Amino acid sequence: MKNNQYPQSGVGDQVLLKDTIEYPNNLTTAEYHELAVGSAIHISLIDRNFSHIEGETVYEYLFTSPEIPRKNAGRVTDGFLKAYLHLLAGGMWISGLDPQRNWRPMEWGR
């Protein structure tokens, strides 16, 4: 083989593009790798309990407590929204089944 030639087949032939792989529940590549490889969590548990959320959807998951400061109309206060503005970039939502509610889906998560 000449120096400027590459093998026609072999290990490096397949190129995986990030956009071609779909992970469950919109998980990013990094999130899925952390769960499946770094933490060795079984794929079926990942599928049932972990998802990626971002944008204003984050508020629907996190701002459910009646203890959160709100304005008269029920909207979360500006100061509270500003303190949690970084959450709009997204992250992993973790939830499961609630043993205290007869194993129904949890109303809370992290």
Side-chain angles (χ1 to χ4, degrees):
M1 181 180 304
K2 294 181 183 178
N3 289 341
N4 62 352
Q5 290 182 331
Y6 297 98
Q8 296 301 311
S9 62
V11 175
D13 287 351
Q14 269 189 323
V15 176
L16 296 177
L17 300 176
K18 181 184 173 204
D19 295 338
T20 62
I21 300 173
E22 289 187 33
Y23 296 105
N25 306 318
N26 295 318
L27 290 171
T28 65
T29 302
E31 290 167 341
Y32 188 81
H33 187 269
E34 176 186 340
L35 296 168
V37 177
S39 298
I41 298 173
H42 193 276
I43 295 168
S44 65
L45 290 175
I46 294 171
D47 190 44
R48 290 184 185 111
N49 299 295
F50 297 87
S51 57
H52 178 82
I53 57 173
E54 63 185 38
E56 292 192 12
T57 302
V58 171
Y59 298 149
E60 296 171 20
Y61 283 81
L62 297 178
F63 294 172
T64 59
S65 171
E67 303 298 318
I68 293 174
R70 298 180 184 273
K71 296 180 177 183
N72 288 338
R75 184 178 177 273
V76 175
T77 63
D78 294 336
F80 198 82
L81 287 172
K82 186 176 180 180
Y84 291 95
L85 189 61
H86 64 282
L87 298 177
L88 295 177
M92 216 177 346
W93 176 256
I94 306 164
S95 191
L97 301 176
D98 191 343
Q100 297 180 346
R101 294 181 58 234
N102 200 26
W103 300 102
R104 290 186 291 179
M106 289 182 179
E107 293 180 357
W108 53 273
R110 56 184 289 171

